[in-house]
Each structure stands twice: as structure tokens, then as C-alpha cells.
Amino acid sequence: MWHPDHYVKWLYGSVNPSEKFQASSQQEWSEWRERLRQRFVELLGGPAPESSELAPVLLESEDCGDYIRQRIQIETYPGLHMPVYVLVPKESKGRSGAVIACHGHGYGSKDIVGLTASGEKKTGDIGYQKNFAVELVQRGYITVAPELLGFGDRMLVEDEEAREHNSCHRLSTFLLAMGQTMAGYRVFETLRCVDYLLARHDVDADRIGCMGISGGGLVCSFAAAIDDRISAAVVSGFANTFQDSILSIRHCIDNYVPGLSLVAEMPDILGLIAPKPLLVEAGTRDPIFPVHATLKAFENIRDVYRLLDKEEKLEFDLFEGDHEISGKAAYDWFRRVWS
């Protein structure tokens, strides 16, 4: 009997992505990268309309001992503003490297800067994201943690009142009806954080990185794939194949970009990051981005780096764990690849 299960497998198998990586020379790679980047940006909803200014506003500032934690607000799209935590190490001298830290599902950017949902200092379980923005600033990086659209202080009022965890569904479906995508909005808002960092006098423009976990791994990898101002990326709990993750396992609607699977698989998108340094983190027991597909995806990404003779720029931290940050390699990795 012909079940929908059989049909979706058949439909996926019938598609030959138009921009699957098949380059055999650096010239073919360059042409492929330009084509896929352009098409990918279109599928995300097109580049964000230009905002007149970032118009940063300081919302709060806190002395955290060895670093200062500020919260600012910047304009991302015309009429749309995003709160961002900026963690600045006190010991930084001259121009420092900077990392944009993209949180995953949960209660937003507070989680990764060591705060509870109500804004108090964490004292118990640090959660699957392990305060990774704090870990980064303590390594000497200026660290920016944006509040991704639909989380924390950027939820819709009715979702807040209903005590929902996020506004991913409502906002994603609204944006889809407008010919836009949640992934696109989050990616282009994250690139406004690059604009912000470049406007600071204490940031080295050649050392701006990105690190993200889960849905933040999507944002980090997609942003690094389309913008070379991001010079290095750590993708945690996300690198996989679409076939084995978001097309096979129940995931949040914010992961889906209409038509993307007709153009490329996830390893092709992550392959756009090459030849920049890329570190993939994956837990052996991750239930929603299964490790067997991460291993397969990593080998496909490696093909791109190998063609460019940049295999040493690609690294893999496969750790014993669940869907969570590792950090064992990542926290000091940026300094090494930027040296």
C-alpha cells in the first residue's frame, strides 16, 4: 500500500538539487559558490532592506568582574529593533577578536550570558547552552549575543501572555505569507551585528567570528555562508543533512526555507563557508540531529575544503553527549585560527 511515508521518501529521492556541490576545479568552485550564494539569499527572502543607521542605544550596563556586560538596542530592519548583549573583557588592549554568539531554542540571549529568564544570575543548572557567551568573553573575545526574533524579549505579546516558550510559529507563518522566512530575518539581523562590531574602535575587522547552537547553529552557519566579513565559524548541534534531520524528525518551523531542498542539501550550504575556518561540534547522542548524518555531512563538507587544498581549516569536535554545547575545542579555537 502506498503510504505518505513512502511518498515523501520517493519525492526526496526524485529531486536532484540544482546546486549540489560537484566542482572539480577551483574555477568551478568559485562559479558554484557565487551561484549558490545568490540563490540562497533569494530563498531566504532576499537581502534585508537597508536601514539608515544602527542607532545603538545603551539599555543597561553591569560590571561582571573580569568583563563588562552591556545590553544595547540596534535597528535591524526599518522599524524593527533588536536587543543585544555585548560582553567586553576588561583586559582587552588594542583591537580584539569578536564573536557573535547565537543562542538556540530556550528563553533567549539571557541563557547564554549566564542569566535566568527573569534576568538574575544563574545559580543552578546551566542548561544545554552552557553559558557559552560568557565562556567566550572570558577567553578575551568581545562577544555579542543577539536576541533572535521570536525569543525572550522579542516574543509576540499574546504569546508572552499565554506563557508560550517562543513566537517561532506565529512569526514564521506570518513571514512566509509575506514572502519572507524566519531564517532569513534571523540571518540578516545577525549580519547587522557584524555592522555594529565594525563600527567599534576596539574590534579587529579581520577577526569577527560566529558560534551558534541548534537553531543558533542554523543562523551562524547561514550567516557565515553568505558573508565573508565573518572569518570563522563554530556550528554546534546543527550540521547534518536536511533529509535526516528537519525532513525526518519533528522540528520547529523556523528551520524551513521554501524550495531550498530543490537547490541544495545542508552540506552544500555549509560548504559555502569554505575556505574560511569551520569547526563542527556534534554530540554522539543528539536525538534531533543524528550523528550518522552529521558524519556523512562532514565528509561532504570536507570535499569542498579538500578541493581548495584547505582541509586544515576544517575541524570536528565529536563528543560524548546529547544536543548541547561542547566547547572543549571551540572556546580556544578562534584564537588559534586567527593567529
Side-chain angles (χ1 to χ4, degrees):
M1 187 178 291
W2 192 249
H3 288 287
D5 307 65
H6 302 139
Y7 179 74
V8 296
K9 289 178 182 177
W10 171 83
L11 184 58
Y12 180 88
S14 71
V15 170
N16 183 21
S18 61
E19 295 300 341
K20 180 180 179 181
F21 178 73
Q22 300 179 84
S24 58
S25 68
Q26 294 199 14
Q27 178 62 33
E28 288 182 357
W29 162 79
S30 180
E31 293 169 355
W32 166 80
R33 192 183 196 222
E34 185 176 351
R35 284 195 315 270
L36 180 51
R37 272 187 164 181
Q38 182 177 345
R39 186 72 183 111
F40 184 39
V41 168
E42 291 171 357
L43 291 170
L44 287 172
E50 290 202 11
S51 242
S52 54
E53 292 182 12
L54 288 165
V57 176
L58 179 63
L59 303 176
E60 61 185 66
S61 184
E62 182 80 20
D63 188 326
C64 297
D66 52 355
Y67 66 94
I68 302 295
R69 184 185 68 235
Q70 296 180 331
R71 205 175 200 205
I72 65 166
Q73 174 183 281
I74 60 174
E75 183 171 334
T76 53
Y77 284 70
L80 182 64
H81 297 84
M82 177 169 68
V84 176
Y85 280 110
V86 182
L87 313 183
V88 182
K90 288 184 179 178
E91 295 300 315
S92 62
K93 297 176 181 178
R95 293 185 179 269
S96 302
V99 181
I100 301 168
C102 297
H103 65 81
H105 280 73
Y107 56 85
S109 58
K110 288 184 176 70
D111 193 0
I112 65 173
V113 301
L115 300 175
T116 65
S118 59
E120 299 168 353
K121 186 175 180 179
K122 287 184 189 176
T123 56
D125 181 15
I126 60 173
Y128 81 102
Q129 305 190 77
K130 300 181 181 177
N131 301 336
F132 77 92
V134 176
E135 296 285 351
L136 289 166
V137 72
Q138 290 177 337
R139 265 67 172 191
Y141 315 118
I142 294 171
T143 305
V144 169
E147 187 90 290
L148 299 181
L149 186 61
F151 292 106
D153 295 331
R154 303 186 77 201
M155 289 176 59
L156 295 170
V157 172
E158 72 173 70
D159 288 333
E160 263 192 296
E161 292 175 347
R163 297 179 181 264
E164 297 287 346
H165 296 297
N166 56 63
S167 293
C168 291
H169 186 85
R170 282 278 320 283
L171 285 172
S172 294
T173 52
F174 178 85
L175 290 171
L176 289 171
M178 297 295 152
Q180 300 291 312
T181 66
M182 180 68 98
Y185 261 67
R186 289 176 178 169
V187 166
F188 293 118
E189 286 197 310
T190 295
L191 296 181
R192 290 292 277 165
C193 293
V194 178
D195 296 337
Y196 166 76
L197 287 168
L198 290 173
R200 292 181 62 105
H201 71 278
D202 53 356
V203 171
D204 182 346
D206 294 325
R207 292 186 292 154
I208 295 178
C210 191
M211 179 172 177
I213 170 76
S214 193
L218 177 152
V219 175
C220 168
S221 58
F222 287 11
I226 64 175
D227 195 326
D228 286 333
R229 296 179 302 169
I230 296 175
S231 63
V234 174
V235 179
S236 181
F238 179 71
N240 212 264
T241 66
F242 294 136
Q243 179 186 17
D244 293 293
S245 59
I246 68 168
L247 298 183
S248 298
I249 299 168
R250 185 182 294 274
H251 276 263
C252 180
I253 192 173
D254 61 10
N255 285 280
Y256 301 89
V257 177
L260 183 53
S261 289
L262 304 178
V263 176
E265 246 291 0
M266 193 194 299
D268 301 312
I269 300 299
L270 271 64
L272 292 174
I273 298 171
K276 299 180 293 188
L278 170 62
L279 170 63
V280 171
E281 279 192 353
T284 54
R285 300 187 302 276
D286 192 325
I288 56 175
F289 292 96
V291 67
H292 74 275
T294 297
L295 293 167
K296 180 168 60 175
F298 186 80
E299 288 307 311
N300 290 339
I301 299 166
R302 193 202 297 272
D303 288 341
V304 185
Y305 280 83
R306 185 179 292 124
L307 176 67
L308 301 175
D309 198 25
K310 296 291 184 181
E311 209 170 339
E312 77 282 0
K313 301 284 188 183
L314 178 65
E315 299 187 37
F316 195 11
D317 177 13
L318 181 63
F319 62 94
E320 287 296 324
D322 206 315
H323 185 66
E324 59 188 310
I325 283 281
S326 165
K328 182 178 180 181
Y331 297 141
D332 298 311
W333 176 83
F334 286 104
R335 182 178 295 107
R336 179 160 53 82
V337 299
W338 283 334
S339 62

